[in-house]
Amino acid sequence: MRIRDATLLLALLVAAATGSATTVVPMSVERLTAASEHVVEARALETWSQWDASHSMIFTYTRFQVVRTLKGSSGQTIVVKQMGGRASGYVMKVAGVGYWRPGDEAVLFLHRSQADDGTLVVSGLLQGNFRIERSGAEATASNGASGARRFDPQSKGVAPFQGKRMTLSELESRVRKAVGR
């Protein structure tokens, strides 16, 4: 079982046990890098939502322009798929999932969708989405998400997921070191 599959399975089991909609086992930047096929800095170009083929789930798709590749190789644009969204008058919400708008910037830790439809999904559920904020002297990146919870395997406790905030240069340095560059 791969790291991302084991993490997803554990998070889903914890979510079922705690009754929380989205519960994650916190992952370090280094673990996120290992669990990801691609790590890119990107800017959102467009977003849309639609039903899956069986009309049982709504997914939101975002096309990104890749600004910099930190791991893997990708085209100049990529499409990231997330659960939830609005389609045909219905709304499907997933706690902790933040949808992008055109112009949003992020460092994304990604792997191929299980649907094998050419889309990518965020690694570590929502943890691989580090939104970039450019205010002040140096850009920062954060993967905090409201509505999500974290599971502590040592204490077996659940608490709000605060995520990590760091400078963009620190995040990129940690990814490069984890990749061996």
Side-chain angles (χ1 to χ4, degrees), residues 3-174:
I3 291 173
R4 71 173 180 246
D5 295 336
T7 302
L8 177 59
L9 177 61
L10 182 57
L12 291 174
L13 291 172
V14 169
T18 63
S20 180
T22 304
T23 304
V24 298
V25 176
M27 296 174 72
S28 67
V29 168
E30 292 72 18
R31 278 199 61 215
L32 281 168
T33 302
S36 301
E37 294 173 60
H38 308 281
V39 181
V40 297
E41 181 181 332
R43 180 176 296 105
L45 298 173
E46 65 177 320
T47 187
W48 67 96
S49 297
Q50 65 189 42
W51 289 98
D52 66 355
S54 66
H55 206 74
S56 59
M57 297 249 331
I58 298 172
F59 288 96
T60 296
Y61 299 84
T62 305
R63 185 178 319 281
F64 283 92
Q65 166 102 38
V66 175
V67 174
R68 182 182 356 241
T69 300
L70 301 171
K71 179 182 179 183
S73 62
S74 63
Q76 291 181 334
T77 62
I78 57 173
V79 176
V80 179
K81 177 168 63 173
Q82 296 174 285
M83 290 190 311
R86 296 174 184 268
S88 306
Y90 291 89
V91 177
M92 182 180 151
K93 292 185 180 182
V94 179
V97 173
Y99 303 102
W100 300 284
R101 294 179 309 221
D104 286 349
E105 295 178 276
V107 173
L108 303 169
F109 294 73
L110 305 164
H111 60 272
R112 277 176 277 159
S113 166
Q114 287 184 338
D116 201 24
D117 57 4
T119 63
L120 300 168
V121 294
V122 175
S123 299
L125 296 175
L126 49 93
Q127 296 177 76
N129 174 17
F130 280 82
R131 291 183 183 259
I132 298 171
E133 296 175 17
R134 297 190 185 275
S135 60
E138 190 166 5
T140 59
S142 171
N143 68 344
S146 66
R149 300 178 60 76
R150 68 174 172 78
F151 174 72
D152 181 349
Q154 291 181 325
S155 70
K156 308 283 190 262
V158 177
F161 176 71
Q162 302 297 321
K164 300 171 188 70
R165 176 178 295 281
M166 63 191 80
T167 65
L168 180 57
S169 59
E170 178 186 354
L171 177 59
E172 290 176 349
S173 175
R174 288 178 66 181

